[in-house]
């Protein structure tokens, strides 16, 4: 049975996402003084990644948001072991700031054991634990962008079965309006929220109520017929040869907008881009927290999120099922088989 969005307490989720986005934006400004380390797969993780996961989990639980006891989160407490006491202190400080900002000061963890439990709650394996409905959280998507002072996103999606149905994207460095250059940090940032079948909305990172956000939608057609495309900033995150071939087949002549993170989904959902191509390199398997939230926001805004073979993108627990890669588009732009 489809989830009734009015049972999800989405205003409380928005408050937690807004507060954590503001703290993540401040953390990005002081990133030089934050502890960071490389995970086993060589991907970077910072204090901000861990603090935001802790704050969102604790905030949703304290506000009584359903399904927040366990979730699919990118981070786990294993990163704490490598980070030492400086990292733990910074996580407690930043998560506490976010929860005070969200008016949930009593939810702020003060002890290591509480921080560990909150991080380990992100280790949900939906199939193994028999969960058909779950939140999927990437606390800082685009950590490489965060570390460069460029774009990153806090991405929180609710998945029902294999479909993202609700999505929140907190984008502390992305302006709400069209910009000449998305490579620099906007001072205010933006937030996107979508409920599939009910629409998508956007506002500033100070938003506290869904109704205060402004409705958004994908572009009806590319302006002047010129398709605006978003690609990963990190060229290693896609197959460049296949991407070039697909862009040529689609007739794209504009310069791609290269942005880190699920900010690319926000660009399509808000009509500032018509297409986001993510054609995976051989052997890479996409993770659900990198797509669940963005997919829900784009679908709620009227867009299409599918595999390179034209099947709807599906979530498979902690993974994404999208053969050949992911195509995100306004319905009027079709990408020929490539
Ligand atoms: P983006 O900035 O859109 O490229 O997305 C950032 C995300 O890409 C990170 O959160 C990683 O999980 C993911 N990622 C890491 N390595 C790869 C890879 N080789 N191919 C595709 N995505 C990757
Ligand atoms: Mg990510």
């Amino acid at each position: 049975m489809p989830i009734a969005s009015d049972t999800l307490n989405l205003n409380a989720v928005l408050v937690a996402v807004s507060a954590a986005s503001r703290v993540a934006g401040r953390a990005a400004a002081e990133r030089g003084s934050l502890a960071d380390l490389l995970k086993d797969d060589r991907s970077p993780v910072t204090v901000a990644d861990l603090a935001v996961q802790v704050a969102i989990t604790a905030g949703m639980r304290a506000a009584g948001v359903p399904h927040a006891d366990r979730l699919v989160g990118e981070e786990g407490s294993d990163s704490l072991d490598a980070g030492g006491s400086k990292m733990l202190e910074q996580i407690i400080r930043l998560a506490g700031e976010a929860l005070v900002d969200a008016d949930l000061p009593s939810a702020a963890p003060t002890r290591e054991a509480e921080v560990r439990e909150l991080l380990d709650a992100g280790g949900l394996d939906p199939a193994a634990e028999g969960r058909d409905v779950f939140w999927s959280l990437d606390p800082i998507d685009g950590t490489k962008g965060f570390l460069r002072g460029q774009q990153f996103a806090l991405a929180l999606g609710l998945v029902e079965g294999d479909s993202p149905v609700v999505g929140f994207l907190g984008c502390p460095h992305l302006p709400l309006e069209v910009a000449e250059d998305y490579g620099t940090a906007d001072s205010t940032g933006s937030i996107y929220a979508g409920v599939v079948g009910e629409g998508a909305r956007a506002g500033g990172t100070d938003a506290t109520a869904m109704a205060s956000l402004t409705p958004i939608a994908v572009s009806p057609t590319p302006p002047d017929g010129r398709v605006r495309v978003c690609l990963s900033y990190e060229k290693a995150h896609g197959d460049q040869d296949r991407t070039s071939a697909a862009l040529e087949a689609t007739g794209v002549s504009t310069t791609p907008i290269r942005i880190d993170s699920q900010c690319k989904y926000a660009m399509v959902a808000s009509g500032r881009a018509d297409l986001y191509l993510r054609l995976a390199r051989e052997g890479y398997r996409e993770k659900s927290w990198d797509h669940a939230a963005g997919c829900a926001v784009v679908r709620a805004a009227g867009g299409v999120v599918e595999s390179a073979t034209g099947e709807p993108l599906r979530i498979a627990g902690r993974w994404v099922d999208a053969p050949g890669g992911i195509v995100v588009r306004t319905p009027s732009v079709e990408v020929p088989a490539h």
Side-chain angles (χ1 to χ4, degrees), residues 3 5 158 163-167 194-200 292 295-301:
I3 291 186
S5 61
L158 185 74
S163 302
V165 289
V166 175
V195 179
V196 176
E198 295 180 23
C295 175
V297 171
V298 165
R299 285 182 179 164

Side-chain angles (χ1 to χ4, degrees), residues 4 7-10 13 60-61 63-70 131 133-135 158:
T7 64
L8 289 170
N9 202 355
L10 295 182
V13 182
M60 287 205 295
R61 285 179 178 181
V65 174
H67 314 292
D69 59 327
R70 291 197 39 80
R131 299 288 191 106
V133 178
F134 57 91
W135 293 99
L158 185 74

Side-chain angles (χ1 to χ4, degrees), residues 24-25 28 31 140-154 170-177 179-190 192 205 230-234 257-267 272:
R31 62 190 180 279
I140 303 278
D141 181 33
T143 305
K144 290 173 186 166
F146 175 94
L147 290 170
R148 272 189 252 104
Q150 296 186 310
Q151 298 301 335
F152 63 95
L154 189 173
C171 306
H173 287 170
L174 189 68
L176 260 179
E177 310 298 335
E180 277 288 304
D181 175 10
Y182 296 96
T184 51
D186 179 71
S187 56
T188 53
S190 49
Y192 306 81
T205 54
C230 278
L231 301 176
S232 282
Y233 184 97
E234 295 286 339
I257 308 165
R258 290 195 172 268
I259 306 183
D260 297 282
S261 83
Q262 284 167 76
C263 284
K264 292 184 281 298
Y265 281 97
M267 291 289 291
R272 287 175 287 177

Side-chain angles (χ1 to χ4, degrees), residues 90-135:
Q90 291 180 339
I91 293 169
I92 289 175
R93 173 172 65 83
L94 291 174
E97 281 176 23
L99 288 160
V100 167
D101 254 28
D103 220 11
L104 296 166
S106 59
T110 54
R111 291 181 300 115
E112 179 174 349
E114 294 171 286
V115 171
R116 280 188 184 276
E117 191 280 323
L118 284 159
L119 287 171
D120 285 336
L124 173 69
D125 179 341
E129 299 176 41
R131 299 288 191 106
D132 195 43
V133 178
F134 57 91
W135 293 99

Side-chain angles (χ1 to χ4, degrees), residues 138 141-142 232 236-237 259-261 264 276 278 284 286 290:
D138 193 340
D141 181 33
S232 282
H237 291 183
I259 306 183
D260 297 282
S261 83
K264 292 184 281 298
Y276 160 26
R278 189 183 193 85
Y284 184 78
E286 299 279 355
D290 282 331

